[in-house]
Structure formats: structure tokens, C-alpha cells
Amino acid sequence: MKNLYSLSATLAFAMLLSCIAVSAQMKHTIIRSGQGMHASSTGGTQSSYGTTVTYKGEQYIRVRTAEQFLNALGSRRNVLVAADTEINLTPLLDDQSHFRTKYRMWSSDISGGIADGREVVASEEVFDGRQLTLVNFKQLNIVGERNSRIVVEPRYAFCLRFVDCKQCEVRNLTIGHTEGGYCTGGVIGDLRGWRIYVVNSDLYGCGAYGLELEKTNSFELRNSNIHGCTYGIMTLSSVMSMTASHCNFFNNREYSLIGSGNSAGVVFDDCWFFNNEGTLFSFDSEFYLRNSKVFHLESELGSMEMADQTGGNNEFGELFSYHGAYGQMLERRNKKIGPDVE
């Protein structure tokens, strides 16, 4: 009888330990990063994997550091760059110890993609450093909370590059390079993407181009600025459907500012082009221009014969002044364009 009582006590104690373990597990949200599955506390607890928060009615992972940012990335994931935060990705991208698994790759060139379709966060080599490249991500949203920035140091690097990604969005962020001068790396690049959106964002130089799109399908740039880029505004190569709506393009230079080859369905709607230097449009196929204001030297407008302006309601002028009526219009317009206007 004494042994029976001892056995019962042992079983009860084991059951108690099991309940405690289950309870502890339920208080954590499992977060998958490029290196596997990790636990991150909810309820505002800070960790190396960010903080799970509710933002505008949806669940986000709030991040404040480059390590948290990379750990939070994943398909069907909302990543929130915290308010008043600048994340410099370069120191982490230069550290090979963070890129040693099949989900975190140290790559010389990952443009060929990943054949088995797995998601990969890659530190990809460029001439003067490394860039962040995301491969095979789906439904990833990267959002700035307020006054949120993502920057990189190498001049040949993209700040953010997507390869074979689908339904991803960048919103309410300022993105650019840390140093001024000439670059050959763009701000955002996309290769073979589908439904990639950049919304309410500010893309600035010294990126060579604000956007570099290749074999992209259904790209949208909305309520955003591209400025200060040293080669031009954007390049489009074999792109099917690209819409820029309610955007400002200014202070860019100095070659073909918007170059497009073998692309179709390119639309500029309610866009302002001003204080840019270089040939504005270099298209080898038709594009659409409507409801836009173009302040550019007539001799450098470029391939305007390719522009379908049917019912376009466009305005053209050679000089733009911040003073007077157009300056006042721009001031009002800027309250609805770029980060932190939602």
C-alpha cells in the first residue's frame, strides 16, 4: 500500500510538470526565421526576434535592429520597423556567421533563384560589399511605424532586392544609402516578381536608380517619392504591367531617367516630374501618361512619341519653381505622399 501511495504521488508530480510546460508554451508565439523555428514572447517583451504587437488591427513583429529585422522575415508575415528607428543592414550582412544555413545563404550571385522553392534570406556579394536579397517570399509586408528607415552602406548594393517573390509590399518607409555621391546600386530591385508593391515610401539616392525591375509582372508604386538618384529614376526590363500613381520624381540625374526595354502596360498616373537632369523617357514601346505634370526641357523629354496621352490631362513646362502657384500645389500634395501621411 505504501508503494502505491508513492507511485500515485510520482504520477501527480509528473502531470503537474507537464501542465506547467504546456502553459509556458502557450504563452509564446513561434516565429520562423531563416535559421529555423524560434520562440518570441508576446505581450511586448523584447527579444532578438522582435516583439509581437497589434498594429492597425493586424499582428506584426516590431523590430528595432538589423538582427531582429532579418529574424522576423518570412512568408505571410508582417514586419514593423519601429518608430524613430534607422536600421543599417550592412554590419550584419558583412558577418558570414549569420548566413550558414540553407535558409540563410552567403552568396556571390543568387539571381538564378532557388530551384526547390524554399525561402532564402541571402547576403549577396556586390563590388564593394554585400546586399540583402530575399528569394521566394510570399505575402511579406515590410512596414514602417513612423519615421522609420532602412539603409545600407555599399554604393554598389541594392538596399532591398526581391528575387522570385510574390505579393510582397514595402510601405511607409524611407530607404536609401548612407553616403552621397555616385552609386551603381539601386534602392529597390526586383527580378521575376509578381505583385510587388511600394506604397507611401521615400526612395532616395545616392542609389543609381530608385527602382530596377526585370521580368517583373504587376508592380505598383503608389504615393511615393523617388529623388536624389545619380543615374535616373527607374529602369524597366521585360516588365509586364507597372503602374506609378500619385508619385513625385525629382532631383534625379543624369542619364536616361526612365528607361524601358521590351516592356508593356507601363502607366504613370498623377505623377509630378521636376528638377531632374537627363533624358526623361527612353522607351522602345508604348506607355501611358495621364493626369501628370512634367517640368523638363522639351529637348530632353525623350521618346514622347511612345506616350499614349489619350484623355491624359497632362501639363508640360520647362522650369519648376517652388514659389508661386505650383509650389503651393506641391506643398499640399506632399501632405499625401511619402511616409507618415496615412
Side-chain angles (χ1 to χ4, degrees):
M1 181 67 69
K2 185 176 181 180
N3 290 338
L4 182 59
Y5 285 139
S6 177
L7 178 60
S8 297
T10 301
L11 289 173
F13 183 67
M15 291 177 66
L16 177 62
L17 290 178
S18 177
C19 290
I20 291 172
V22 170
S23 176
Q25 187 176 18
M26 290 175 66
K27 291 181 181 178
H28 289 73
T29 299
I30 299 300
I31 292 180
R32 180 183 182 278
S33 79
Q35 293 178 311
M37 303 295 291
H38 302 274
S40 175
S41 298
T42 60
T45 302
Q46 190 73 18
S47 76
S48 61
Y49 304 102
T51 306
T52 302
V53 298
T54 299
Y55 177 74
K56 296 188 176 181
E58 296 187 35
Q59 188 177 65
Y60 280 78
I61 303 170
R62 180 186 280 132
V63 299
R64 300 180 185 277
T65 68
E67 181 183 14
Q68 290 178 352
F69 179 74
L70 263 64
N71 286 337
L73 295 172
S75 289
R76 293 167 290 279
R77 184 73 55 76
N78 297 324
V79 179
L80 184 68
V81 179
D84 302 316
T85 296
E86 179 178 284
I87 294 179
N88 185 343
L89 297 174
T90 295
L92 195 66
L93 293 172
D94 287 344
D95 185 350
Q96 190 172 359
S97 68
H98 292 280
F99 300 91
R100 289 180 171 173
T101 74
K102 66 178 183 178
Y103 299 108
R104 290 275 190 93
M105 292 183 62
W106 185 264
S107 175
S108 59
D109 183 1
I110 205 165
S111 298
I114 302 296
D116 62 12
R118 71 182 183 275
E119 299 168 17
V120 170
V121 177
S123 175
E124 186 177 20
E125 184 179 9
V126 294
F127 178 74
D128 62 341
R130 308 195 72 82
Q131 65 187 12
L132 175 65
T133 301
L134 307 181
V135 186
N136 293 332
F137 280 78
K138 300 176 181 66
Q139 298 176 24
L140 168 65
N141 298 312
I142 303 173
V143 179
E145 188 170 18
R146 186 186 67 255
N147 189 28
S148 309
R149 293 173 172 265
I150 295 176
V151 299
V152 298
E153 297 172 18
R155 295 185 176 187
Y156 285 77
F158 284 104
C159 299
L160 185 60
R161 186 176 186 232
F162 297 94
V163 174
D164 296 323
C165 293
K166 297 179 180 180
Q167 295 177 289
C168 295
E169 182 173 302
V170 175
R171 178 184 289 269
N172 205 45
L173 279 165
T174 298
I175 306 177
H177 293 77
T178 57
E179 296 185 28
Y182 282 83
C183 293
T184 60
V187 182
I188 292 180
D190 180 74
L191 174 61
R192 298 187 300 270
W194 179 66
R195 291 189 177 179
I196 307 298
Y197 304 143
V198 177
V199 184
N200 286 103
S201 292
D202 192 84
L203 313 184
Y204 69 91
C206 67
Y209 294 93
L211 294 174
E212 294 190 36
L213 311 181
E214 183 179 355
K215 298 178 182 177
T216 299
N217 195 326
S218 300
F219 185 96
E220 292 188 23
L221 178 71
R222 300 197 306 267
N223 297 357
S224 296
N225 298 309
I226 295 180
H227 62 98
C229 293
T230 53
Y231 280 34
I233 296 166
M234 66 179 71
T235 63
L236 313 173
S237 177
S238 300
V239 171
M240 179 62 67
S241 181
M242 192 293 300
T243 299
S245 59
H246 202 53
C247 294
N248 291 335
F249 307 114
F250 59 97
N251 295 348
N252 301 288
R253 65 186 193 275
E254 63 183 304
Y255 301 108
S256 294
L257 295 168
I258 301 178
S260 175
N262 193 34
S263 299
V266 178
V267 178
F268 297 95
D269 186 9
D270 188 22
C271 293
W272 282 38
F273 306 81
F274 58 96
N275 291 351
N276 299 296
E277 299 177 15
T279 302
L280 184 54
F281 296 110
S282 296
F283 279 72
D284 63 4
S285 58
E286 184 179 62
F287 67 99
Y288 301 88
L289 182 68
R290 57 194 182 220
N291 305 313
S292 296
K293 290 179 172 53
V294 181
F295 299 91
H296 206 80
L297 292 176
E298 185 177 0
S299 60
E300 296 186 355
L301 286 173
S303 51
M304 286 301 298
E305 72 278 2
M306 297 292 183
D308 184 335
Q309 300 186 64
T310 305
N313 193 30
N314 300 309
E315 293 185 37
F316 292 84
E318 292 201 344
L319 296 175
F320 175 81
S321 173
Y322 286 96
H323 305 288
Y326 283 115
Q328 294 173 7
M329 291 171 63
L330 180 63
E331 185 176 355
R332 292 192 297 270
R333 178 181 175 85
N334 285 341
K335 294 178 180 179
K336 300 179 182 180
I337 292 179
D340 305 326
V341 298
E342 297 180 297

